[in-house]
Amino acid sequence: MNININTDENLAPIGIFDSGVGGLTVAREIIRQLPNESIVYFGDTARVPYGSKSKGTIIKYSRQIVRFLQTRKVKAIVIACNTASALALDELQNEFELPIIGVVKSGAKTAVANTYTKRIGVIGTEGTIHSQIYTKVIHEYDAEAVVIGRPCPLFVPLVEEGWLHDTVTDEVARRYLSEFDDKNIDSLILGCTHYPLLRSTIKKIMGERVNLINPAYETALNLRELLSANNLTSPLETIADSRMHKFYVSDTPEKFQAFGNSIDLPFYIEKVEQINIEAF
């Protein structure tokens, strides 16, 4: 049985990072599922999107962000970015001592648990799909599963522009998702943290027979288990005040703030601070 001790470490925030605003879908679930915890969120808005960049570049960016989050005294880090989870997680876990988890395993495990046809679709950035990380992890849970991946690189800039319900977005989604028309999938992993913000559009195109898997919820549950296992759970008995959550970006803080406050977070983002991430 784990016993949580009221120390500075237990009261430390959770670090979350993504290439931009998409990781707020993960932050939203973490705040809902772990209401006593505070967060420090970093969105790399100056260098978005990550999906078209090389593995070496993603590792470099992720390393810089972890170093920055360490200056904010975080007790654990969630990589709320499928591309960075796919390409940089192992490197970061080997380099840094604090607990670090990504979003890929959560989505893969849930998809396997929910498929009846054993045919699972994955949509994500080019980096995530070409890495075949979801295929590898899904096969760890079910070697017989058939995984069909489709990169959807335009989804990220469309979300970043706020074009969540737009005819252009509808047409792009139809063209991408037509890849699955004859594949008989019954589960589709939204393999990028931006994509849940397009959930209604994707659901309309895929239909009721396809179960959409959002890894954010399962990631929040995995984080809860991680904190408990490492005796890092916050001892607070009250819901964390919104002012305890901190938000940082590498560019356009006003745009990030406006977007964050448009996606049904449990609180209003009062301040977003811009930092020079290259300094780390």
Side-chain angles (χ1 to χ4, degrees), residues 11-235:
L11 290 169
I14 297 158
I16 304 171
F17 78 86
D18 182 49
S19 60
V21 300
L24 288 172
T25 62
V26 178
R28 180 171 60 186
E29 288 298 333
I30 289 172
I31 292 166
R32 286 172 176 169
Q33 301 302 321
L34 292 82
N36 302 334
E37 303 285 352
S38 59
I39 69 166
V40 174
Y41 183 100
F42 176 78
D44 199 1
T45 48
R47 304 185 294 197
V48 68
Y50 276 13
S52 58
K53 295 179 173 64
S54 69
K55 179 175 181 178
T57 297
I58 297 302
I59 292 173
K60 172 190 171 183
Y61 289 177
S62 300
R63 189 180 287 129
Q64 290 174 330
I65 296 167
V66 171
R67 288 176 185 149
F68 163 68
L69 291 173
Q70 285 183 309
T71 69
R72 306 272 74 88
K73 308 298 183 184
V74 299
K75 60 186 176 184
I77 291 176
V78 176
I79 306 178
C81 170
N82 283 264
T83 302
S85 294
L87 302 180
L89 177 60
D90 290 343
E91 292 277 347
L92 298 178
Q93 288 177 329
N94 289 332
E95 282 186 40
F96 298 96
E97 293 185 3
L98 77 171
I100 303 175
I101 62 172
V103 293
V104 171
K105 286 190 175 181
S106 302
K109 185 177 181 180
T110 304
V112 169
N114 284 274
T115 183
Y116 295 98
T117 65
K118 292 184 180 287
R119 299 182 65 83
I120 299 168
V122 183
I123 54 175
T125 64
E126 292 175 351
T128 298
I129 299 302
H130 293 156
S131 75
Q132 295 194 333
I133 185 65
Y134 270 103
T135 301
K136 295 171 186 174
V137 176
I138 286 170
H139 284 163
E140 291 176 8
Y141 295 112
D142 185 348
E144 297 179 357
V146 176
V147 184
I148 302 102
R150 176 65 163 99
C152 303
L154 292 179
F155 278 175
V156 170
L158 287 169
V159 168
E160 299 273 344
E161 282 295 325
W163 294 5
L164 304 184
H165 305 285
D166 189 279
T167 54
V168 172
T169 305
D170 291 345
E171 178 58 26
V172 169
R174 275 192 292 270
R175 294 185 68 171
Y176 281 152
L177 299 174
S178 65
E179 175 80 18
F180 301 107
D181 285 350
D182 59 352
K183 300 298 191 298
N184 194 35
I185 64 168
D186 67 352
S187 295
L188 179 65
I189 298 173
L190 307 181
C192 173
T193 52
H194 290 67
Y195 294 4
L197 298 173
L198 299 174
R199 182 185 180 92
S200 61
T201 298
I202 296 169
K203 187 65 177 178
K204 179 172 60 178
I205 294 169
M206 297 305 299
E208 292 301 319
R209 65 184 179 81
V210 176
N211 184 31
L212 302 187
I213 307 295
N214 177 7
Y217 174 75
E218 297 297 332
T219 299
L221 299 185
N222 288 349
L223 176 62
R224 179 191 291 163
E225 294 174 1
L226 178 75
L227 295 179
S228 178
N230 287 275
N231 294 321
L232 291 173
T233 303
S234 170

Side-chain angles (χ1 to χ4, degrees), residues 212-257:
L212 302 187
I213 307 295
N214 177 7
Y217 174 75
E218 297 297 332
T219 299
L221 299 185
N222 288 349
L223 176 62
R224 179 191 291 163
E225 294 174 1
L226 178 75
L227 295 179
S228 178
N230 287 275
N231 294 321
L232 291 173
T233 303
S234 170
L236 294 177
E237 297 181 358
T238 57
I239 295 175
D241 189 284
S242 63
R243 290 169 295 182
M244 296 170 63
H245 305 304
K246 306 297 183 184
F247 296 88
Y248 300 87
V249 293
S250 50
D251 199 14
T252 59
E254 298 84 2
K255 185 176 180 180
F256 178 94
Q257 182 181 17

